[in-house]
Amino acid sequence: MGVYIARFRNLPNAPPYKKFLRGYGYEGESSTDFSWDAPGFGIAYKKALRVPRTKISITGFGEVLPRWDNFVELDPTAKDVYGIPVLKIHMSDGENERAMIQDMGDSAGEMLEAARAKNIRTYAHPSAPRWALHEAGIARMGSDPKKSVLNQFQQTHDIQNLFVMDASGFPSNPCQNPTLTIMALCVRSCDYLMSEFKRNTF
Ligand SMILES: Cc1cc2nc3c(=O)[nH]c(=O)nc-3n(C[C@H](O)[C@H](O)[C@H](O)COP(=O)(O)OP(=O)(O)OC[C@H]3O[C@@H](n4cnc5c(N)ncnc54)[C@H](O)[C@@H]3O)c2cc1C
């Protein structure tokens, strides 16, 4: 069974959480299986094996704040099969991410304890650079052309008839899965594009 625990830190209209900015959600799953690691041998083991064991695991997915240390560039040496330079990704955790990861582990333990789970094991270590690959960013959206590439319709500030309708406009990488937001932004951009097209703007 799949589990999703929505973001609960730093929600609108609530006091800010002191340890970090933004927030995270949990994704998880549960299953019931034989007790494969039951102790013992022979008949005792066979009996213990048949005692069903239910497991639940939850994993935090947190927002990564934009930092100058995190950037992409064209790899100076590595090329793909077509001879095009591949992307070199520079990514590390900042103070905010480290505090958030610690909270993911601590809060997961508290929730499972409150749900009366037994044999709880928590961890709070980052998987480098990340286990969840949510490609987004590099042409951030914003109202100031000096600080952003795209406007709210994913139209470039510099070139009027160039739209970038994918995840490039994300100013940071949120804790939610990005695809529905990518699609919603694309619909909004297409509406705008069509209305401008009808007005012969292009
Ligand atoms: C393993 C995995 C699991 C994921 N699971 C989820 C999930 O469950 N839910 C969710 O919401 N998100 C998920 N994501 C994230 C999501 O897939 C990405 O954030 C999203 O696809 C980004 O969309 P995009 O259109 O910006 O880029 P992409 O989908 O990466 O599209 C970029 C396109 O550009 C093409 N391209 C690249 N270079 C060139 C070139 N030189 N010339 C022409 N074309 C080029 C590529 O072939 C590709 O088709 C997952 C990602 C991964 C890797």
Side-chain angles (χ1 to χ4, degrees):
M1 191 180 75
V3 182
Y4 189 80
I5 300 169
R7 181 179 151 184
F8 53 93
R9 295 287 188 221
N10 291 317
L11 296 179
N13 306 321
Y17 190 61
K18 291 202 179 96
K19 292 183 181 168
F20 52 83
L21 301 170
R22 315 296 293 172
Y24 61 88
Y26 289 108
E27 293 183 26
E29 58 183 1
S30 68
S31 62
T32 301
D33 202 351
F34 291 112
S35 291
W36 291 109
D37 54 359
F41 294 96
I43 292 172
Y45 176 67
K46 283 184 184 171
K47 206 172 161 192
L49 180 75
R50 289 197 197 100
V51 176
R53 196 179 60 170
T54 300
K55 287 191 290 188
I56 180 165
S57 64
I58 54 175
T59 306
F61 284 66
E63 178 159 353
V64 178
L65 297 184
R67 289 165 44 241
W68 291 113
D69 296 346
N70 290 342
F71 65 98
V72 296
E73 62 177 341
L74 292 179
D75 195 297
T77 50
K79 294 188 171 51
D80 68 12
V81 287
Y82 303 106
I84 299 172
V86 300
L87 214 53
K88 190 168 183 181
I89 300 170
H90 300 263
M91 199 274 167
S92 62
D93 287 322
E95 208 180 303
N96 204 68
E97 285 78 43
R98 284 193 289 272
M100 194 185 283
I101 289 167
Q102 187 59 52
D103 195 59
M104 288 173 184
D106 295 345
S107 300
E110 283 172 32
M111 285 180 194
L112 293 170
E113 211 170 300
R116 298 193 192 156
K118 294 196 176 69
N119 303 320
I120 300 168
R121 271 172 290 169
T122 62
Y123 64 94
H125 52 80
S127 55
R130 274 298 179 271
W131 174 72
L133 296 169
H134 286 168
E135 300 90 342
I138 76 170
R140 60 192 279 159
M141 188 189 288
S143 51
D144 183 351
K146 287 189 189 136
K147 294 181 182 164
S148 57
V149 180
L150 308 177
N151 68 14
Q152 75 269 40
F153 300 115
Q154 300 183 102
Q155 178 185 30
T156 60
H157 289 300
D158 295 338
I159 304 168
Q160 202 192 12
N161 62 348
L162 176 60
F163 288 75
V164 187
M165 294 188 201
D166 59 12
S168 305
F170 281 38
S172 82
N173 212 335
C175 66
Q176 301 85 354
N177 284 313
T179 303
L180 291 178
T181 308
I182 298 171
M183 292 164 75
L185 289 171
C186 182
V187 169
R188 185 170 75 167
S189 298
C190 288
D191 276 350
Y192 172 77
L193 182 60
M194 289 306 291
S195 66
E196 291 298 294
F197 196 66
K198 282 177 188 158
R199 288 172 47 205
N200 288 323
T201 310
F202 302 114

